[in-house]
């Protein structure tokens, strides 16, 4: 747990237990103590922050006592991090046992609560909770505001269609009349002045939900609704006691408005597990793990899938997943969720829309992320000066996952992207550009990852049935891969190259040569125990025998592949093998 999360968690728990919340000096003491041996001593804190040494010691003594009362064990400067983290784990684990029906959808958001609380403690007036569709933005914002002891909570939900968005003048007038029993002014700015005075005297929570329909392609308010800026200006005033949460799939980029942005992450596996257990669904851990991975932890997907397992298969998660795993977006709710994001992007930013579809060509497997230049290479029809803006557009719309300069697509987004890409005229060009990028990105193979990266070009050429270039990649990599593996004694890379080479020879009808490469690959992989690659090698050998019409030898290889994929809990690969058997 980092200090930001810790401060938010401690503050929320102190408030819940009706204990005194953290003062500015106590916050400083806690921050320094959290650093361990690198933190400042009490006398150093005093000198650095203009407190007397005695004041710091007294404040620390009271802080440690209050935290001891909260955590149920003695807290000191040298153990505060350990004790607080243990207390956090106890609280997090206890939540499912005490949760009520109306809050079950709020599960797994302890860290998010801590982050929001910390930002508020630091003085944030407006926090924009940003995430893709279905992550749980509205649920988080609604439940968080309910538990902040506000005098009132004001709600504003943006219409999904631009044409039906309510004018901000009408919203403010409604708030004044119905929520505060105040008469609005004849002029909008007069009404805002009255609202501001009310917010200075009362503790008010405000939720502005689903903001993105009111934003243009540059993430600013659309022209008919620019007056919303004036409302936000009031809500960011330092004198008001209000806290405003905004939910949006997109960033808000209005330069003269100070808005804190919090990117809400997907739910982790433990949250999914607790949710399914709450509804008493028989839990096959390997299946739920695969479902969680396939849907990227999406909160709405979790709820839809849980309901479908109950309704369609009477709680039998294994039966449900065996039937539905081949198509992630089979459920209309999930399909519509993803489609709506693609549709809006197509309307607002056609170049970003094309890039999103083209990103579907990457595999995100042996090389799980794509560097920045891997996106640039897919913008072959966009001017160099425009390319960075296009990439930023995807980032700001929560349509591409990123960390530093490494990118990947959420599994549901990728499924839709690759389906659209295959239907477009960009399928072949996108794969060629991606293959060229991978080839150019590795100048020499010095590590295993270098070899795997270079081999990505092979898969792109195979996808468009360009077997000549695929063979060239394998031949070259067998020499930029096999030479490296022999020198470094890392045989797995050599085996993967041989498997690919065998596949190419089979495609060209040179079955004897193909089998030679398959067998060599299998022998290497059996020796090193690389089950996933060994399963693939058996699968490719089975396909070769099958194409030769040799069922006697194809069947045991198919069986071996199925067994190994089953052992490593890869049911989608098992299904792939079964579908290939003629």
């Amino acid at each position: 747990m980092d200090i930001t999360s810790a401060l938010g968690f401690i503050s929320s728990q102190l408030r819940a237990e009706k204990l005194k919340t953290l003062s500015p000096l106590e916050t400083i003491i806690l921050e320094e103590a959290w650093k361990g041996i690198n933190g400042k001593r009490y006398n150093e804190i005093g000198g650095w922050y203009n407190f007397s040494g005695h004041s710091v010691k007294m404040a620390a003594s009271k802080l440690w006592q209050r935290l001891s009362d909260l955590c149920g064990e003695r807290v000191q400067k040298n153990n505060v991090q350990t004790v607080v983290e243990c207390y956090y784990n106890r609280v997090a684990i206890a939540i499912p046992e005490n949760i009520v029906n109306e809050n079950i959808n709020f599960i797994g958001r302890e860290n998010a609560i801590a982050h929001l609380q910390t930002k508020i403690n630091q003085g944030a007036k407006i926090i924009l909770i940003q995430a893709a569709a279905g992550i749980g933005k509205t649920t988080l914002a609604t439940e968080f505001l309910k538990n902040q002891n506000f005098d009132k909570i004001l709600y504003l939900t943006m219409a999904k269609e631009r044409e039906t968005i309510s004018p901000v003048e009408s919203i403010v007038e409604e708030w004044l009349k119905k929520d505060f029993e105040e008469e609005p002014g004849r002029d909008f700015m007069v009404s805002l002045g009255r609202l501001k005075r009310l917010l200075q005297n009362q503790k008010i929570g405000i939720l502005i939900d689903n903001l993105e329909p009111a934003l243009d392609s540059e993430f600013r308010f659309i022209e008919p609704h620019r007056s919303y800026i004036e409302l936000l200006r009031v809500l960011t005033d330092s004198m008001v006691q209000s806290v405003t949460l905004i939910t949006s799939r997109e960033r808000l980029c209005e330069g003269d408005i100070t808005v804190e942005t919090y990117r809400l992450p997907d739910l982790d596996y433990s949250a999914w597990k607790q949710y399914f257990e709450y509804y008493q669904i028989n839990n096959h851990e390997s299946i739920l793990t695969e479902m969680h991975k396939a849907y990227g932890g999406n909160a709405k997907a979790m709820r839809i899938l849980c309901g479908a397992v109950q309704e369609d298969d009477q709680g039998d998660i294994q039966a449900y997943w065996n039937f539905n795993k081949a198509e992630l977006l089979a459920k209309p709710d999930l399909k519509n969720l993803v489609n709506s994001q693609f549709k809006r992007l197509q309307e607002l930013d056609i170049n970003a829309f094309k890039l999103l579809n083209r990103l579907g060509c990457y595999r995100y497997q042996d090389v799980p992320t794509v560097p920045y230049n891997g996106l640039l290479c897919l913008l072959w029809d966009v001017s160099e000066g425009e390319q960075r803006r296009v990439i930023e557009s995807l980032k700001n719309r929560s349509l591409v996952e990123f960390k530093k300069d490494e990118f990947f697509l959420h599994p549901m987004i990728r499924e839709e992207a690759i389906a659209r890409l295959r239907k477009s005229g960009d399928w072949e060009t996108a794969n060629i550009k991606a293959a060229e990028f991978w080839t150019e990105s590795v100048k020499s193979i010095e590590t295993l990852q270098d070899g795997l990266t270079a081999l990505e070009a092979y898969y792109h050429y195979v996808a468009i049935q360009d077997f000549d270039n695929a063979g060239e990649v394998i031949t070259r990599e067998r020499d930029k891969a096999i030479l490296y593996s022999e020198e470094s004694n890392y045989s797995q890379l050599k085996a993967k190259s041989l498997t690919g080479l065998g596949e190419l020879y089979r495609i060209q009808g040179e079955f004897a040569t193909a089998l030679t490469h398959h067998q060599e690959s299998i022998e290497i992989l059996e020796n090193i125990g690389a089950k996933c690659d060994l399963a693939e090698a058996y699968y490719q050998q089975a396909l070769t025998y099958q194409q030769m019409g040799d069922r006697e030898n194809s069947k045991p290889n198919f069986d071996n592949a199925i067994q190994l994929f089953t052992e490593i809990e890869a049911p989608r690969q098992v299904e792939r093998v079964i579908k290939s058997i003629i």
Side-chain angles (χ1 to χ4, degrees), residues 137-139 141-142 155-159 206-213 245-248:
K137 304 179 293 295
T138 301
T139 301
T142 302
Y155 296 94
L156 164 57
T157 300
M158 288 288 177
I206 300 172
L207 172 58
I208 301 177
D209 194 29
N210 189 40
L211 182 68
E212 67 272 4
L245 298 185
I246 301 176
T247 68
S248 178

Side-chain angles (χ1 to χ4, degrees), residues 156 158 164-176 184 188-189 191-192 195 208 214 221 223-235:
L156 164 57
M158 288 288 177
T164 54
I165 293 175
S166 299
V168 68
E169 294 84 353
S170 300
I171 298 298
V172 172
E173 180 178 327
E174 184 84 357
W175 284 349
L176 288 172
F188 176 54
M189 296 308 293
S191 294
L192 277 180
L195 177 64
I208 301 177
F221 282 102
E223 197 55 46
H225 296 288
R226 298 290 297 165
S227 295
Y228 271 94
I229 297 173
E230 299 302 328
L231 172 60
L232 297 189
R233 190 171 280 117
V234 167
L235 299 180

Side-chain angles (χ1 to χ4, degrees), residues 448 481-494 524 528:
L448 171 64
I482 295 179
L483 178 61
Y484 166 75
S485 65
E486 289 172 348
E487 290 180 348
S488 65
N489 199 30
Y490 205 103
S491 302
Q492 187 174 0
L493 187 54
K494 177 180 178 180
I524 293 172
I528 63 177

Side-chain angles (χ1 to χ4, degrees), residues 202-272:
Q202 299 182 49
K203 187 180 178 184
I204 304 296
I206 300 172
L207 172 58
I208 301 177
D209 194 29
N210 189 40
L211 182 68
E212 67 272 4
L215 304 181
D216 62 17
S217 61
E218 300 299 321
F219 312 104
R220 305 173 74 235
F221 282 102
I222 56 179
E223 197 55 46
H225 296 288
R226 298 290 297 165
S227 295
Y228 271 94
I229 297 173
E230 299 302 328
L231 172 60
L232 297 189
R233 190 171 280 117
V234 167
L235 299 180
T236 56
D237 188 277
S238 60
M239 298 299 291
V240 302
Q241 295 190 62
S242 63
V243 170
T244 302
L245 298 185
I246 301 176
T247 68
S248 178
R249 300 176 189 178
E250 303 172 4
R251 290 184 69 89
L252 174 63
C253 298
E254 290 286 357
D256 56 348
I257 301 294
T258 302
V259 175
E260 295 278 350
T261 299
Y262 171 57
R263 284 187 172 271
L264 182 63
D266 291 304
L267 290 172
D268 61 20
Y269 170 76
S270 64
W272 272 50

